[in-house]
Amino acid sequence: MTQAIPPSIRIHAADDVAVALRPLAAGEQAEGVVLTGDVARGHKFALHDIAEGAPVVKYGQPIGRATRAIAAGDHVHTHNLATALVGELAYSPHLGAAQVQAEEGAEMPTWRGYRRADGRAATRNEIWILPTVGCVGMTAEQVAREAQARHADLIAAGRIDGIHAFAHPHGCSQLGDDLDGTRAVLAGLAASPNAAGVLLLGLGCESNQLDALVEAVPVWARSKLRLLSSQSAGNEIVEAGKLVDELVAEAARAERTQLPLSALTIGLKCGGSDGFSGLTANPLLGRLSETMARAGGKAILTEIPEIFGAEQALLDRSSSREVFEAAAGLVNRFKRYYLDQGLPVSENPSPGNLEGGITTLEEKSLGAVQKAGHAPLSDVIDYGGQASVPGLTLMEAPGNDAVSSTALAASGATLVLFTTGRGTPLGFPVPTIKVASNRTLAESKPHWIDFDASIALDEGQEAADAAFLARILAFASGERTASERGGQRAIAVWKRGVTL
């Protein structure tokens, strides 16, 4: 049943600000105060007078400090609010602050996917071509296009779901940890359950040598690999095509079967956030993350710089002292990564975030971590590592959309759930489900957006959760996402070192 949507919302009883759910004009009354000026949709206004220098609270937590006196009804944004974030911190463990209990007797939903020989489950049955180096990226794309045409009948019949190449500009002129990171994320992609077969296509003289890359691929995933060094081949296009044909023939024997929710691994991502992201879309993912934890499934959270200012609540949900220490160390290590470059840890939000109503990194982070709900933090993994523990895993990666989404796919996510208030067409190696935080975006960009989370405001959370889970299971079972239909598939590698 549709509910009347109020003009604004106060998220937490302790908040100093409320959020406009529609454009509000000066002189209007909302939350018991009269607005002193216009407030755009998704932006904040003060619920009472706030002294200069005082903390400003939203989500029940400080999101910065007032840079000038703020009167009740004033618009609160960059002109009168600034971050209070500093560098590395000493975190104190408060373990077990939240638990998600399994519901006895509750019937968990199922989906139809591919069960791989290693026991993991896939949402797609595809062939991937991964170049070791940028020099053969276009070659990989040509091989994929020609193979797609050759096997169009199998794709149309649903025997395989596609043949894709993922070009990138890295793999040479890299050293040390930087090269290791490129190798780790490519190895993780090669291990993805969604790739029934993988052609690793090398040049021959690159830093990222084929044998070293294969050694980085988990042992249980190596049987599905085929290798080709272009400099050693005759006609590399022809030889690569033959190897792809072998992989297609093997993959075409796979069948979708009924699988439990626990077999699903989801990646949690937000990009182009706005003032509604922390109200609708991110909490929607959070409630799904709790459902996944109850079912024994896996959810992966990353974008470490976008939890700065909200990390303590996440750390408090660590399942053990070891997990707490690993997570706290990861957060501080990422802060040090900024500080060593002479940059502040608060160099965020983006221009689009600011326009959408997000003012400080604390505010952005408090909204972003809601993607994990109250699921216990079960594990912490490095960039390129594999998620292996049921529950919530925290993974090392930056906030950049393409880099972090690629890393989610490489860590074992077979779906990426991507919330956005501004919108983006780009998709990634595994099905990328775009969740709009507001109706305007969902209605204006239906070729980008897969789900409108704003229904939580007018139909209620329970209705939104049920509809969302149904769509997730449909996409997991083979329905194409908007980015898949649009041919939007790409990867990006985290470049951290010097270039030779």
Side-chain angles (χ1 to χ4, degrees):
M1 180 180 296
T2 300
Q3 304 173 163
I5 301 177
S8 61
I9 184 171
R10 181 178 191 164
I11 301 169
H12 191 280
D15 287 356
D16 297 317
V17 295
V19 179
L21 297 181
R22 60 169 174 79
L24 301 177
E28 278 195 73
Q29 184 168 327
E31 305 295 332
V33 299
V34 177
L35 300 182
T36 62
D38 295 344
V39 179
R41 185 178 64 120
H43 284 243
K44 301 173 292 297
F45 60 90
L47 296 170
H48 53 78
D49 294 347
I50 303 171
E52 180 178 355
V56 176
V57 173
K58 182 184 176 186
Y59 301 111
Q61 300 289 331
I63 59 169
R65 292 190 177 277
T67 56
R68 63 177 72 171
I70 301 172
D74 280 358
H75 178 210
V76 177
H77 201 34
T78 52
H79 61 289
N80 54 16
L81 174 63
T83 182
L85 283 180
V86 291
E88 296 167 274
L89 296 173
Y91 299 104
S92 299
H94 304 286
L95 304 183
Q99 298 293 329
V100 174
Q101 301 294 334
E103 298 176 11
E104 290 188 16
E107 185 176 344
M108 284 295 175
T110 60
W111 57 287
R112 293 186 61 79
Y114 301 94
R115 182 68 79 175
R116 300 304 188 195
D118 59 31
R120 297 184 304 162
T123 62
R124 296 292 183 269
N125 189 41
E126 297 177 336
I127 305 302
W128 290 0
I129 305 172
L130 299 177
T132 60
V133 65
C135 307
V136 288
M138 295 183 72
T139 301
E141 291 175 346
Q142 181 180 347
V143 172
R145 283 194 304 272
E146 293 181 2
Q148 281 268 133
R150 277 198 311 278
H151 299 291
D153 55 339
L154 288 175
I155 296 171
R159 301 310 307 158
I160 59 170
D161 292 318
I163 302 166
H164 303 282
F166 295 107
H168 60 88
H170 306 296
C172 206
S173 301
Q174 292 180 276
L175 297 169
D177 291 344
D178 189 39
L179 177 60
D180 290 344
T182 295
R183 184 176 292 131
V185 81
L186 291 175
L189 289 170
S192 171
N194 280 17
V198 176
L199 171 61
L200 297 178
L201 180 63
L203 177 61
C205 57
E206 65 271 26
S207 303
N208 187 27
Q209 287 286 296
L210 274 170
D211 55 355
L213 178 56
V214 171
E215 283 296 313
V217 176
V219 173
W220 38 261
R222 293 178 191 171
S223 63
K224 65 177 178 178
L225 303 180
R226 299 293 184 274
L227 316 178
L228 183 67
S229 174
S230 297
Q231 289 174 343
S232 300
N235 185 321
E236 70 280 0
I237 301 292
V238 173
E239 293 191 29
K242 291 178 180 177
L243 293 173
V244 169
D245 291 347
E246 290 179 14
L247 294 171
V248 167
E250 293 177 16
R253 294 197 288 268
E255 299 278 354
R256 284 191 183 269
T257 60
Q258 206 76 11
L259 296 171
L261 190 61
S262 60
L264 200 58
T265 301
I266 60 172
L268 308 171
K269 176 75 184 84
C270 55
S273 299
D274 70 350
F276 281 79
S277 294
L279 302 179
T280 60
N282 291 347
L284 181 72
L285 264 61
R287 295 189 294 275
L288 178 65
S289 296
E290 293 169 9
T291 298
M292 293 292 295
R294 281 192 292 269
K298 302 183 190 74
I300 310 166
L301 180 69
T302 187
E303 304 178 278
I304 304 304
E306 297 185 13
I307 65 172
F308 294 169
E311 62 266 40
Q312 187 65 61
L314 185 62
L315 296 173
D316 287 347
R317 302 208 303 275
S318 299
S319 60
S320 68
R321 181 64 183 249
E322 292 73 21
V323 169
F324 167 82
E325 290 177 349
L330 174 55
V331 172
N332 273 334
R333 187 164 74 246
F334 229 109
K335 288 182 177 180
R336 177 50 50 191
Y337 170 60
Y338 277 67
L339 296 171
D340 285 347
Q341 310 303 317
L343 298 171
V345 299
S346 57
E347 196 63 30
N348 207 332
S350 70
N353 297 152
L354 295 170
E355 186 177 342
I358 297 173
T359 308
T360 65
L361 181 51
E362 296 100 306
E363 181 181 8
K364 184 174 182 178
S365 295
L366 286 163
V369 297
Q370 293 189 60
K371 298 192 300 291
H374 294 94
L377 180 60
S378 303
D379 199 13
V380 179
I381 59 175
D382 293 334
Y383 177 68
Q386 295 290 303
S388 60
V389 179
L392 179 66
T393 292
L394 184 65
M395 180 187 65
E396 177 191 27
N400 177 274
D401 290 351
V403 171
S404 56
S405 296
T406 300
L408 288 168
S411 68
T414 52
L415 295 174
V416 169
L417 280 49
F418 189 116
T419 67
T420 180
R422 311 286 295 174
T424 177
L426 190 60
F428 304 100
V430 300
T432 306
I433 300 166
K434 300 290 176 57
V435 182
S437 69
N438 63 83
R439 179 154 299 162
T440 300
L441 173 61
E443 291 179 347
S444 65
K445 294 290 188 181
H447 56 297
W448 289 2
I449 299 300
D450 297 293
F451 191 83
D452 178 9
S454 74
I455 66 172
L457 294 175
D458 56 14
E459 296 182 23
Q461 290 184 1
E462 187 174 341
D465 292 351
F468 187 50
L469 180 57
R471 298 304 295 136
I472 294 299
L473 297 174
F475 289 126
S477 300
E479 184 176 330
R480 301 285 171 169
T481 65
S483 58
E484 286 179 297
R485 296 193 302 271
Q488 296 274 354
R489 302 282 287 270
I491 67 170
V493 177
W494 189 12
K495 182 76 173 72
R496 290 176 281 182
V498 299
T499 299
L500 293 176

